[in-house]
Amino acid sequence: MSSVLEPLRKCEGLSDRDWAAGQTTMVVPSRATLVGRAQSRSRSVFPFLNGRLTVESEGPLPVWFRRAVAALDELAQLPTDWDSYGAGAIGHQSILATAELLLGIMRDDTPFPSVVPTNRGTVLLEWHTRGVDLEVEVRGRDRIHASFEDSRDGTQWEAEIGPDLTQLVQSIERLSERDSASS
Amino acid sequence: MTRTLPDFESPPLTEVALSVQFEPLEKLRTAQVGALWTVFRAQFPRTEDHNPLAPVFERFGMPTTSAAEVRLEMLETPPLPRVWFLNPEGTELIQVQQDRFIHNWRKVGQGDTYPRYEHVRDKFESEMTTFQDVLAREQIGRVVANQCEVTYVNHIVAGDGWQTHSQLANVVTVFRTAYIDDKLQEPEDAGLSVRYVLKDVKGASLGRLHISAQPAFRRPDSRPMLVLTLVARLRPPGDELEHVIRALDLGRDAIVRAFASVTTPEMHKLWRRKDVERS
């Protein structure tokens, strides 16, 4: 929300709640919650590149996230032409979008993906396990290309994915729930 | 084609904000914002710096009620603030940051009247055109819009129709107090938040409408009031300004209809409802 009237702290995306209004300010009880967000947003900070990566989330972060940060930090440090064929450095927007995407789609029992750079300066997530081949190229927030193939039943799809992540989440569910002994 | 939209002669509206979020403009730094201000300075002579807003996207199909917010802060390049350009009265302002452009109208004094959506939208469109011209002239980049947002904030002050925070049901239709026994007393206060998915004619998800009602007290007289906030956030059908305007119009329609739908007919009488046909 882009309102400039409410004097609450920022907690709803576009919200502007840090403005102390003049004649029209009001006191909103601190226990108020907005749009389904839990009031206990947790904040985690990781050293990253020459700065820090800050994550605000509902509840504590999953244990695998530290591994994701390390993998993304490694990619972020790649210089231009890291592949000797003129590849671009990995864009920060792709890195941030990847971190958010993983937090949105990964379950605790999802195998951790390979996190690899592309010569387009984007991040590619790869799962080649349990009979599933899932590749997700994260170009930016809401700019995702994914392909999926299940060798067990022949299911496959390839799509540009926007705000609706249903197909991707279902594929992650299928991968996560499959017996790890499957090939 | 004409359509009927709910309208009120005396709405409790205190703020309207139209916002577009876009792919970050890495070359939009302090000097470039200064260049932008010179263009707007005659109308908006005052400036303020504020913390930037985090990007937000409406997503669907994820097993969470809200996405995690991830930020990267680099030591060698401090984040560009969100800069406000304000008119002398403080009733209208522009907010600019690397990935956001916002126009706000707000009620500052009792005499301020809402200039109506069309006026606010025309100002937003004109200012966005100017913003894009400056981006092109200064070779900063182009706006690639990814989310649009319409915000309506209503201050519904206690008086006619309701007196205390316990009477939320007198104001909104989506809350009622009905108990299966008599153990609970009247609530001290009540608030609510509701989300609706906005869909296109084919049923595809476009965005969300967020409605919240929160108890508050008005300054300086401490009268109870409800802050009823409606936020429509949706993805534009393209990344050009015309697509942004279309998305804002859709969001505004959703908000106006929702406001009439979630508030009670008794309050509508006090706000003098008069639905109008619009082309």
Side-chain angles (χ1 to χ4, degrees):
Chain A
M1 186 180 70
S2 310
S3 164
V4 293
L5 284 178
E6 293 176 80
L8 294 174
R9 67 176 289 277
K10 184 174 68 181
C11 63
E12 191 206 338
L14 299 189
S15 294
D16 170 13
R17 301 176 184 286
D18 49 5
W19 184 75
Q23 300 92 321
T24 53
T25 47
M26 58 281 179
V27 179
V28 179
S30 60
R31 60 186 176 278
T33 60
L34 297 172
V35 293
R37 290 204 168 189
Q39 50 193 308
S40 56
R41 299 273 286 176
S42 67
R43 187 167 183 269
S44 309
V45 180
F46 303 87
F48 195 91
L49 210 55
N50 297 319
R52 59 187 185 180
L53 189 79
T54 305
V55 183
E56 288 189 19
S57 60
E58 285 179 10
L61 290 171
V63 290
W64 52 261
F65 189 71
R66 189 171 290 277
R67 190 174 164 192
V69 171
L72 291 170
D73 189 30
E74 205 171 301
L75 300 195
Q77 305 209 29
L78 290 173
T80 302
D81 196 29
W82 53 267
D83 65 349
S84 306
Y85 290 97
I90 308 304
H92 290 177
Q93 294 308 314
S94 178
I95 285 168
L96 292 172
T98 302
E100 285 183 0
L101 181 70
L102 286 169
L103 287 168
I105 64 173
M106 286 270 286
R107 302 173 9 163
D108 288 348
D109 57 354
T110 306
F112 193 77
S114 300
V115 183
V116 297
T118 75
N119 58 10
R120 288 179 293 279
T122 60
V123 177
L124 182 66
L125 303 171
E126 291 184 341
W127 287 265
H128 300 290
T129 184
R130 304 183 183 181
V132 165
D133 292 303
L134 175 60
E135 296 191 356
V136 181
E137 184 187 354
V138 186
R139 297 167 182 163
R141 288 169 164 124
D142 276 6
R143 291 187 294 127
I144 297 165
H145 180 88
S147 64
F148 175 85
E149 186 169 356
D150 187 337
S151 61
R152 181 177 288 183
D153 62 8
T155 303
Q156 55 181 321
W157 57 264
E158 184 169 355
E160 296 291 333
I161 295 177
D164 191 344
L165 299 167
T166 303
Q167 195 173 24
L168 183 55
V169 168
Q170 287 172 348
S171 299
I172 291 284
E173 279 175 5
R174 182 191 284 229
L175 171 65
S176 306
E177 288 166 5
R178 178 157 298 173
D179 182 354
S180 59
S182 305
S183 58
Chain B
M1 192 177 77
T2 58
R3 62 215 160 97
T4 303
L5 274 182
D7 197 12
F8 299 89
E9 276 182 32
S10 183
L13 200 56
T14 52
E15 184 180 12
V16 171
L18 305 183
S19 168
V20 58
Q21 177 182 280
F22 39 82
E23 296 298 310
L25 296 163
E26 308 286 353
K27 293 181 185 170
L28 182 65
R29 304 296 308 173
T30 308
Q32 288 74 27
V33 173
L36 181 66
W37 183 47
T38 60
V39 179
F40 287 116
R41 188 172 183 170
Q43 270 186 289
F44 299 94
R46 295 163 49 204
T47 66
E48 290 179 20
D49 284 3
H50 294 266
N51 288 328
L53 301 170
V56 62
F57 290 83
E58 294 296 345
R59 296 195 175 101
F60 307 92
M62 290 200 303
T64 56
T65 53
S66 67
E69 191 179 302
V70 184
R71 293 191 304 275
L72 185 56
E73 296 159 7
M74 308 305 289
L75 294 179
E76 70 270 26
T77 49
L80 188 76
R82 173 172 39 123
V83 182
W84 289 11
F85 305 152
L86 300 104
N87 70 355
E89 300 79 23
T91 53
E92 294 199 64
L93 64 141
I94 295 172
Q95 305 184 61
V96 184
Q97 64 180 54
Q98 278 188 326
D99 61 353
R100 205 72 55 89
F101 189 94
I102 306 165
H103 179 97
N104 294 60
W105 168 83
R106 60 184 178 178
K107 184 175 183 174
V108 174
Q110 285 305 313
D112 296 329
T113 54
Y114 175 45
R116 298 289 154 179
Y117 169 77
E118 288 76 11
H119 169 84
V120 180
R121 182 194 59 191
D122 289 350
K123 300 257 316 195
F124 172 87
E125 186 170 10
S126 163
E127 290 155 4
M128 265 299 288
T129 302
T130 302
F131 178 53
Q132 289 176 313
D133 289 346
V134 172
L135 294 180
R137 191 184 71 213
E138 300 289 330
Q139 299 183 314
I140 296 167
R142 63 180 283 269
V143 168
V144 179
N146 53 40
Q147 294 280 288
C148 296
E149 190 182 88
V150 183
T151 301
Y152 277 47
V153 181
N154 299 277
H155 288 182
I156 304 170
V157 182
D160 294 335
W162 71 288
Q163 299 296 328
T164 71
H165 282 144
S166 65
Q167 296 171 317
L168 181 61
N170 289 21
V171 181
V172 299
T173 57
V174 287
F175 176 84
R176 69 179 185 133
T177 49
Y179 307 109
I180 59 171
D181 59 31
D182 57 0
K183 296 286 192 298
L184 279 175
Q185 299 175 356
E186 184 180 72
E188 180 189 8
D189 59 28
L192 64 87
S193 66
V194 195
R195 302 193 305 173
Y196 302 87
V197 175
L198 299 173
K199 298 188 173 185
D200 65 15
V201 289
K202 293 177 181 169
S205 301
L206 293 175
R208 284 194 180 87
L209 174 65
H210 304 257
I211 301 177
S212 71
Q214 301 298 340
F217 294 94
R218 184 174 71 175
R219 284 183 185 160
D221 59 7
S222 296
R223 281 178 75 179
M225 69 175 186
L226 286 170
V227 181
L228 181 63
T229 305
L230 299 97
V231 180
R233 188 181 300 124
L234 59 168
R235 193 183 204 194
D239 57 22
E240 301 293 339
L241 182 55
E242 63 180 291
H243 302 123
V244 170
I245 298 300
R246 206 182 307 162
L248 293 175
D249 285 349
L250 274 174
R252 180 271 186 143
D253 277 16
I255 283 178
V256 170
R257 290 180 198 285
F259 176 81
S261 189
V262 303
T263 50
T264 60
E266 292 74 22
M267 297 306 294
H268 294 176
K269 285 178 192 159
L270 297 171
W271 300 325
R272 299 199 293 277
R273 180 171 177 171
K274 55 171 186 70
D275 294 358
V276 295
E277 283 194 348
R278 295 174 192 276
S279 56

